Structure formats: C-alpha cells, structure tokens
Amino acid sequence: DQQVKQNSPSLSVQEGRISILNCDYTNSMFDYFLWYKKYPAEGPTFLISISSIKDKNEDGRFTVFLNKSAKHLSLHIVPSQPGDSAVYFCAASLPNTGNQFYFGTGTSLTVIP
Amino acid sequence: GAGVSQSPSNKVTEKGKDVELRCDPISGHTALYWYRQSLGQGLEFLIYFQGNSAPDKSGLPSDRFSAERTGGSVSTLTIQRTQQEDSAVYLCASRHGTDGEQYFGPGTRLTVT
C-alpha cells in the first residue's frame, strides 16, 4: 500500500521557468516531509524538508508547500536549470519514530536548455 | 569527508545463490537504514538500526533477507536463495541520531539471473 504517491512519473520544463513537482499522501499522521534528488548511479541526496506545523519552507530556488487538509505537498524550483534534471522523491515520516520513511515512486525532471 | 559507501556497486548472481551487500555509514551516525528500489517503484524500507537497540525488521519481505550491523558501524544485508524478483537497487542510508535527513550511499545494483 503506497502511502506516499507521486502521480507524475516525468516532467519537462524549459530552462528559466518554474518546475512544480507534486506529491500526495494518505496518512494524516505524517508530521515530517522531505524531498530528495537523485542522479543516475548515485544515491538520493537531501534537498529540502518541511514540518507539518508549517505550510511553506524556502531554500534558495527551492520551495516546498504543504497543504495538510488536501494531504498534498509540492516542490517548486524557480528558475529551473539544466543541472536540476534528476529524479525527485518525496518522503514522509511519522512522529516520534526514527525508523520508517515512506517514499514516493519519484518524478523524473528534465530541464531543457 | 567520507559519505556512505556501499559495495559491490553491481552484483550479478544466479537464482538460488546467496549474496551479501555491504554498507559503510558515515562515521558517528547511529542510525542505519536499508532500502531497495525495484524498477518503476519507490524506495521500499527494509530494515533500520539505531544504536544498540533491537533493529526494526518490519520491512524485510521474507525470511530469506537478514541484516546485521557489527560494532554499530558497518552493516551487511544478506539475501539467501536469491530469486529473480530480488533484482533491484539496494540503498543504504545513515543518519545522525533520530532527527534530520538521511545520507544515502550510491547503492548496489543486484541482478538475479
């Protein structure tokens, strides 16, 4: 049972424009959400996170938005750069536990120069 | 500084053989995770070690899978009597304590023929 879903397997965006990657979850108890970026033949690397007490977190070109009522989060990349081309995973975890992170299936972003 | 390393990077094995995958976490990280990513799937949690506590094995798909972590550092994931459906990329991650992001290794690509 996939508790974290990324329904778009791929996305193409022109360089300089905004990339919006979406993620939906089913478990309302999740309290911490993360985005990871993965290049081919490498492990995922942490990008940005957000706690459920917030609805927005910004770090440079990257902003994560959380809509708890809709159980939806999104990652915005502005402006998109060719080096952003990668697979992006969203992940979620439950409170008071360090063990399980639930990952989505990933969205492959291609930024076209 | 050294990140998480995994070996081998690629492993091809015949169905029915046993395999061992190794993970060297970041020094000082008390938490260690194993995940696998099958083709077209998200990261699937397998097992979690935290310090000297009993590991959380709830994600192991069958009793053919086992893992150990010696001396709170290096971990080995063992798959006995491999099956073709075990073919996947096996990722290891470590984390400092119970907060913050995980740092992933590059993964081991396992192919069972």
Side-chain angles (χ1 to χ4, degrees):
Chain A
D1 181 31
Q2 194 77 22
Q3 297 194 50
V4 177
K5 299 176 184 177
Q6 293 176 258
N7 293 317
S8 297
S10 63
L11 175 68
S12 290
V13 171
Q14 282 297 130
E15 181 178 5
R17 307 294 286 268
I18 184 171
S19 295
I20 300 176
L21 297 103
N22 294 303
C23 180
D24 296 289
Y25 59 95
T26 57
N27 191 338
S28 58
M29 297 301 293
F30 288 142
D31 73 335
Y32 188 59
F33 304 88
L34 310 92
W35 283 95
Y36 284 83
K37 175 179 178 180
K38 185 182 183 302
Y39 292 117
E42 295 183 11
T45 56
F46 170 75
L47 195 57
I48 192 169
S49 64
I50 188 167
S51 163
S52 61
I53 62 173
K54 294 186 174 181
D55 55 18
K56 176 183 174 181
N57 188 27
E58 190 172 353
D59 183 2
R61 297 186 297 113
F62 303 91
T63 303
V64 56
F65 294 92
L66 176 62
N67 183 332
K68 289 186 288 294
S69 61
K71 297 194 189 72
H72 178 84
L73 70 157
S74 61
L75 174 68
H76 293 209
I77 307 173
V78 181
S80 301
Q81 299 173 354
D84 296 330
S85 297
V87 177
Y88 290 79
F89 291 95
C90 67
S93 68
L94 295 166
N96 301 319
T97 175
N99 49 353
Q100 280 211 38
F101 281 72
Y102 299 83
F103 282 82
T105 52
T107 296
S108 178
L109 173 66
T110 301
V111 180
I112 304 164
Chain B
V4 178
S5 61
Q6 291 185 247
S7 60
S9 55
N10 280 284
K11 176 72 176 178
V12 180
T13 190
E14 291 180 352
K15 178 182 172 181
K17 295 283 181 68
D18 297 352
V19 294
E20 281 191 355
L21 312 179
R22 177 187 168 106
C23 172
D24 284 86
I26 292 173
S27 178
H29 279 193
T30 57
L32 187 147
Y33 304 75
W34 281 99
Y35 294 88
R36 73 175 175 183
Q37 185 180 16
S38 304
L39 193 62
Q41 301 297 312
L43 276 69
E44 176 189 1
F45 167 78
L46 297 177
I47 189 169
Y48 162 73
F49 297 89
Q50 175 62 268
N52 295 321
S53 302
D56 177 355
K57 305 179 182 179
S58 60
L60 294 179
S62 78
D63 58 8
R64 296 186 296 105
F65 288 73
S66 63
E68 62 178 26
R69 189 178 185 192
T70 54
S73 181
V74 172
S75 178
T76 303
L77 177 69
T78 302
I79 309 173
Q80 296 179 310
R81 305 181 303 280
T82 51
Q83 303 294 313
Q84 288 186 331
E85 61 263 28
D86 300 335
S87 297
V89 175
Y90 288 81
L91 288 158
C92 173
S94 70
R95 190 187 197 196
H96 183 68
T98 57
D99 295 321
E101 72 268 24
Q102 301 170 332
Y103 294 83
F104 283 84
T108 294
R109 181 175 296 278
L110 175 67
T111 304
V112 182
T113 60

